[in-house]
Amino acid sequence: MSRTALRICPLCEATCGLTLTLADGAVTGARGDREDVFSRGFICPKGAAFGALDSDPDRLRGPLVRRAGRLREATWEEAFDAITAAVPALVREYGAQSVGVVLGNPNVHTMAGALYPPLLLKALGTRNLFTASTLDQMPKHVSSGLLFGDPFAIPVPDLDRTDFLLLLGANPVESNGSLCTAPDFPGRLKALRARGGTLVVVDPRRTRTAALADRHLAPRPGSDALLLAALAHTLIEEKLAAPGALEELSQGIGELGAALGSFTPEAVSPACDLTAAEIRTLARELAAAPTAAVYGRIGSCTVEYGTLASWLVDVLNILTGNLDRPGGALFPLSATAPPGRPAGPGKGFALGRWSSRVGGHPEAKGELPMAALAEEIETPGEGRIRALLAVAANPVLSAPDGDRLDRALAGLDFMVSVDPYLNETSRHAHVVLPPPPPSRSAHFDFAFNGFAVRNQARYSPAAVPLEGEGMDECEIHARLILAVSGLHGAPPEAVDERVIADTLARAVTDPHSPLHGGDPQELARLLNGTTGPERRLDLMLRTGPYDLTLDDLRQAPHGIDLGPLRPRLPGVLKTRSGRIELLPDPIAAELPRLRAALAERPAALVLVGRRHLRSNNSWLHNVPALTGGSNRCTLHVHPHDAERLGLVDGGQARITAEGGSLEVPVEVTDAVRSGVVSLPHGWGHDRAGSRLSVAAAVPGANVNQLLDGTRMDRLSGTAVLNGFPVELTPLP
Ligand SMILES: Nc1nc2c(c(=O)[nH]1)N[C@H]1C(S)=C(S)[C@@H](COP(=O)(O)OP(=O)(O)OC[C@H]3O[C@@H](n4cnc5c(=O)[nH]c(N)nc54)[C@H](O)[C@@H]3O)O[C@H]1N2
Ligand SMILES: Nc1nc2c(c(=O)[nH]1)N[C@H]1C(S)=C(S)[C@@H](COP(=O)(O)OP(=O)(O)OC[C@H]3O[C@@H](n4cnc5c(=O)[nH]c(N)nc54)[C@H](O)[C@@H]3O)O[C@H]1N2
Ligand code: SF4
Ligand SMILES: [Mo]
């Protein structure tokens, strides 16, 4: 008997609604849910392969525990016993800092990853937190923290209404968008052009997104901050800046002109390898457009001046009057957003409240740079990381210098991986706790509803009930928290009930909460939901801005549309001044370095990454339906460079950078500009002890082995993964 069930796709930030076909508890097909209020039937090849991924025979069915050096199948009881026996003792002997936590990308795609890691960190009391953010969007958090006082106040382009989109370092036709949740991003870009709007793409590669654009500029990688500074400079110099009402709301607007004084189009032109005329034209078009949005992503973040570039993106949105207005860049308001507060001065955002032990890297948003994880494990002394809890993370492939990290992980006293696969990272764990396949878990998108181009709320309960040995990932997290606290054996529901009680106690005394004045016990009884996480979702909806409950979402399986994005200033501001702080001190202090970069001689050859529609970071190479074809780990080289270096299409090359060298197959293509080569990340599945039979057959090379982890965006601790110098030699 076959039936269907709805599930929000967890495989990228677009959060499409899928209709799964199920037979005998297995997902036999997936198509786009045409009635989904947000995605309207859109699906991509990854979503279509949901069933194959869900039933991958290499997925772990139950926990593994290391005994006598080898990982063996174990019961959940034994797995949590092993954790409870190890972690509290280490903390007693070496202190809270001896336990590190690594949170990887899929945490933002699961309910468990949204609801429990803060509790885990609190239980441990460690500051040794490393996440995928410092390989990704931390520059955006830092610039938003400084500008708006809230690192999560990230404006998103109003894709469906804007007249002009300037997109830098993003390839949403392959990635389906990031920090801009928009199912069918390609369709929305085509619609923008169809209604007479303009799309300008800035990318050193002629991507599939660039192919859709009115204009494609291919600057030298790493030069976005310079380009954006020159655009801002031009707006000010040519008196094209028109911030409108934003001027009142901002402080520091008058000082911007002087701060950006040296970044004339002529001055940045050689570094960007764009003409001054091209830059001026772009600035004038941006100013002239009725509405416009500037949007930068990976290629503008994971570079040396990532925070400056991220800041300048919003400076441009502000100078053109486009921040917080329809058609510009707006702040979404998710259904589970905490209660608003009246406009006025807030707590502000501080950087570098503490620093990492070995490298002295300042914290950002409570995190230390992922690129500094290995040294924190390896370097002896007080506060050394001896135990690591890795949740949905594969840093051996995704962070700089995987070989070093690989050795460091092997030397840990104790490691836990919460991961469905035995892969490059989890193979070092002493305990592996596998979550069930996504068809077995419920989903509400706590993370990406906050970055969506339309406000909406959707909930999918588990499509298939958990059976046999499986344990819901929320329960795994709750039990992990209890185990590291030495409370293994306590009921996992207690973790959720504690949160609910604490939240209600605060809500009833908060005059801005819809639950103000209520009775906490009474309110707790009112909460719906058959599980702790469902009850917590219900509570967050009830305290949220739309007066929704879990029942409302259950009765609307295709979701509830909450309308287009609306202006939210000054309500979102939490800066100490209560205004937009346009030229914050840490930024002003970094500008001289950017100015000095104007005089640097660019490297002859630099490397950038790329994403493929059928791939997803390091963990989707084990699904046959998604591999092969153009989804390969090849080095893209421009024909001019190939000729100069004696490389041929289909040949092999040795590529060398400061962190090491790799042998890679060469693909000669003019899709990448000259002076730039491109290699995708997430490959290198050739380490013994992994259980990834499909991926291991075509392992590819780990691009991050070219890095030694020393290159970072200083303000955010984000690793430089794009635009670093490499050398190439042909191999026979
Ligand atoms: N050179 C280079 N490096 C990069 C990038 C780049 O552009 N270039 N991109 C960076 C970016 S943006 C990111 S976000 C990082 C990503 O790097 P990571 O944060 O390491 O994430 P993934 O590589 O996606 O690996 C995810 C892990 O989670 C596991 N997993 C999958 N689903 C689940 C689940 O439901 N629950 C749990 N508990 N585990 C699950 C997978 O098996 C895998 O081990 O990589 C970064 N690395
Ligand atoms: N299919 C697929 N989708 C994904 C992922 C995946 O691995 N595969 N990963 C997901 C994750 S974790 C994330 S964070 C998002 C990322 O989503 P996007 O930000 O759209 O990421 P990319 O597709 O890597 O696009 C980055 C672009 O930046 C360009 N670039 C490199 N250096 C520079 C530079 O210095 N300046 C400029 N202007 N451009 C530069 C690259 O050529 C590349 O085309 O994608 C998500 N979606
Ligand atoms: S675009 Fe993203 S969310 Fe939509 S089906 Fe594809 S992988 Fe899933
Ligand atoms: Mo990412």
Side-chain angles (χ1 to χ4, degrees):
M1 255 277 287
S2 90
R3 64 181 176 97
T4 61
L6 301 172
R7 174 63 157 94
I8 295 164
C9 178
L11 298 177
C12 87
E13 299 182 31
T15 69
C16 301
L18 304 181
T19 306
L20 307 179
T21 322
L22 301 149
D24 301 325
V27 180
T28 52
R31 56 178 201 274
D33 170 17
R34 263 186 240 116
E35 290 168 72
D36 184 285
V37 294
F38 195 25
S39 63
R40 306 262 174 220
F42 182 77
I43 189 168
C44 85
K46 278 193 285 184
F50 186 102
L53 175 74
D54 203 68
S55 60
D56 184 343
D58 281 338
R59 261 178 197 278
L60 300 172
R61 309 281 144 187
L64 304 175
V65 175
R66 191 171 296 277
R67 294 223 174 78
R70 286 193 50 198
L71 277 172
R72 293 160 208 271
E73 285 174 17
T75 64
W76 290 102
E77 209 50 37
E78 289 164 337
F80 289 111
D81 269 342
I83 297 169
T84 255
V87 177
L90 278 171
V91 172
R92 268 196 304 277
E93 191 165 354
Y94 301 106
Q97 306 312 317
S98 67
V99 185
V101 174
V102 175
L103 302 175
N105 171 274
N107 281 300
V108 286
H109 296 280
T110 64
M111 287 179 76
L115 294 175
Y116 298 90
L119 308 175
L120 177 67
L121 288 163
K122 207 166 145 203
L124 289 166
T126 181
R127 285 177 168 176
N128 277 317
L129 169 64
F130 306 81
T131 86
S133 297
T134 51
L135 305 170
D136 188 344
Q137 83 290 359
M138 190 59 93
K140 207 66 224 174
H141 289 303
V142 170
S143 75
S144 279
L146 294 170
L147 278 164
F148 311 121
D150 178 355
F152 288 97
I154 297 178
V156 306
D158 194 4
L159 223 47
D160 299 336
R161 292 184 289 182
T162 194
D163 297 293
F164 190 103
L165 180 63
L166 171 57
L167 197 149
L168 305 105
N171 184 12
V173 175
E174 304 268 7
S175 72
N176 277 301
S178 182
L179 292 184
C180 178
T181 284
D184 194 12
F185 212 123
R188 291 171 200 257
L189 291 180
K190 287 177 197 152
L192 158 72
R193 295 207 51 203
R195 67 175 177 264
T198 303
L199 173 66
V200 178
V201 171
V202 178
D203 196 309
R205 300 185 309 119
R206 193 181 62 248
T207 60
R208 289 174 62 195
T209 307
L212 286 183
D214 293 87
R215 187 152 9 110
H216 170 211
L217 301 175
R220 196 168 275 133
S223 67
D224 296 63
L226 291 171
L227 167 63
L228 292 162
L231 292 174
H233 170 94
T234 307
L235 292 180
I236 296 168
E237 186 202 41
E238 299 191 2
K239 308 233 180 313
L240 298 171
L246 295 167
E247 179 143 21
E248 272 284 281
L249 286 174
S250 308
Q251 64 173 42
I253 224 166
E255 286 102 81
L256 267 184
L260 298 175
S262 28
F263 302 102
T264 63
E266 289 71 19
V268 306
S269 162
C272 299
D273 200 16
L274 298 172
T275 67
E278 280 173 313
I279 299 171
R280 280 189 197 280
T281 304
L282 185 54
R284 290 170 192 157
E285 286 177 351
L286 197 57
T291 64
V294 185
Y295 162 77
R297 217 37 279 284
I298 281 290
S300 67
C301 281
T302 53
V303 288
E304 195 174 349
Y305 299 104
T307 301
L308 288 184
S310 297
W311 165 71
L312 283 159
V313 161
D314 287 328
V315 166
L316 286 171
N317 285 327
I318 292 165
L319 288 179
T320 52
N322 281 301
L323 183 77
D324 201 44
R325 84 165 173 206
L330 293 125
F331 301 97
L333 183 61
S334 82
T336 51
R341 39 181 291 286
K347 285 208 189 97
F349 173 80
L351 264 180
R353 292 164 297 170
W354 57 86
S355 301
S356 71
R357 179 181 65 103
V358 180
H361 301 291
E363 64 79 34
K365 201 165 77 56
E367 300 183 17
L368 299 172
M370 190 75 109
L373 173 60
E375 67 189 23
E376 291 297 330
I377 299 174
E378 281 174 347
T379 314
E382 208 185 310
R384 175 168 82 85
I385 296 177
R386 293 166 183 270
L388 197 69
L389 312 179
V391 185
N394 192 7
V396 170
L397 293 191
S398 42
D401 199 352
D403 286 347
R404 180 177 179 190
L405 200 49
D406 200 49
R407 287 190 301 273
L409 297 184
L412 284 166
D413 292 359
F414 191 71
M415 176 174 166
V416 178
S417 271
V418 182
D419 205 291
Y421 286 106
L422 195 57
N423 64 14
E424 298 77 13
T425 296
S426 61
R427 73 198 177 106
H428 290 295
H430 295 78
V431 176
V432 184
L433 305 170
S439 63
R440 267 77 175 162
S441 53
H443 192 64
F444 177 88
D445 224 296
F446 289 104
F448 297 113
N449 287 347
F451 303 112
V453 297
R454 216 177 152 84
N455 294 318
Q456 39 70 44
R458 294 165 297 157
Y459 178 62
S460 22
V464 183
L466 260 184
E467 77 255 311
E469 289 295 278
M471 183 181 284
D472 186 79
E473 188 162 4
C474 289
E475 185 177 338
I476 294 175
H477 279 239
R479 287 188 187 272
L480 178 62
I481 292 164
L482 293 170
V484 301
S485 316
L487 296 172
H488 174 44
E493 302 79 44
V495 173
D496 298 303
E497 292 313 317
R498 177 68 191 274
V499 175
I500 289 170
D502 290 351
T503 312
L504 283 171
R506 274 195 313 271
V508 295
T509 56
D510 175 358
H512 307 295
S513 169
L515 304 184
H516 181 237
D519 169 41
Q521 263 120 42
E522 180 67 20
L523 287 165
R525 269 194 300 276
L526 261 176
L527 292 181
N528 258 307
T530 49
T531 61
E534 276 195 345
R535 285 164 53 79
R536 288 174 65 187
L537 169 58
D538 192 30
L539 175 57
M540 289 164 83
L541 290 166
R542 286 169 193 264
T543 53
Y546 299 100
D547 195 26
L548 288 171
T549 66
L550 181 64
D551 256 358
D552 296 331
L553 295 191
R554 282 188 177 138
Q555 280 162 32
H558 307 283
I560 297 176
D561 182 42
L562 300 167
L565 304 187
R566 279 179 281 269
R568 291 189 56 208
L569 286 176
V572 282
L573 300 178
K574 293 182 186 159
T575 50
R576 280 174 187 272
S577 62
R579 301 168 79 192
I580 300 173
E581 299 184 356
L582 253 187
L583 189 59
D585 291 341
I587 296 279
E590 189 75 354
L591 283 173
R593 290 185 66 235
L594 184 65
R595 210 166 286 129
L598 283 172
E600 279 162 26
R601 237 186 68 216
L605 200 62
V606 297
L607 183 139
V608 300
R610 67 175 187 269
R611 282 176 160 77
H612 191 284
L613 185 56
R614 281 182 282 113
S615 190
N616 188 23
N617 298 330
S618 74
W619 69 283
L620 234 55
H621 298 137
N622 209 52
V623 180
L626 294 173
T627 53
S630 57
N631 185 8
R632 292 196 306 142
C633 185
T634 58
L635 185 75
H636 285 181
V637 184
H638 188 272
H640 292 166
D641 293 320
E643 203 189 312
R644 178 169 63 87
L645 298 163
L647 298 166
V648 291
D649 189 55
Q652 289 281 118
R654 172 168 296 283
I655 179 162
T656 308
E658 58 232 9
S661 86
L662 303 170
E663 285 181 24
V664 286
V666 170
E667 208 178 324
V668 177
T669 165
D670 67 358
V672 63
R673 58 159 281 167
S674 67
V676 180
V677 292
S678 169
L679 194 65
H681 73 284
W683 295 86
H685 304 291
D686 50 5
R687 292 177 199 260
S690 309
R691 196 184 299 167
L692 300 163
S693 48
V694 176
V698 194
N702 177 10
V703 64
N704 287 324
Q705 206 46 56
L706 296 172
L707 292 161
D708 64 9
T710 53
R711 281 176 195 269
M712 279 181 210
D713 167 42
R714 283 210 320 187
L715 287 176
S716 70
T718 304
V720 172
L721 304 171
N722 280 293
F724 58 90
V726 295
E727 282 171 18
L728 273 182
T729 48
L731 288 172

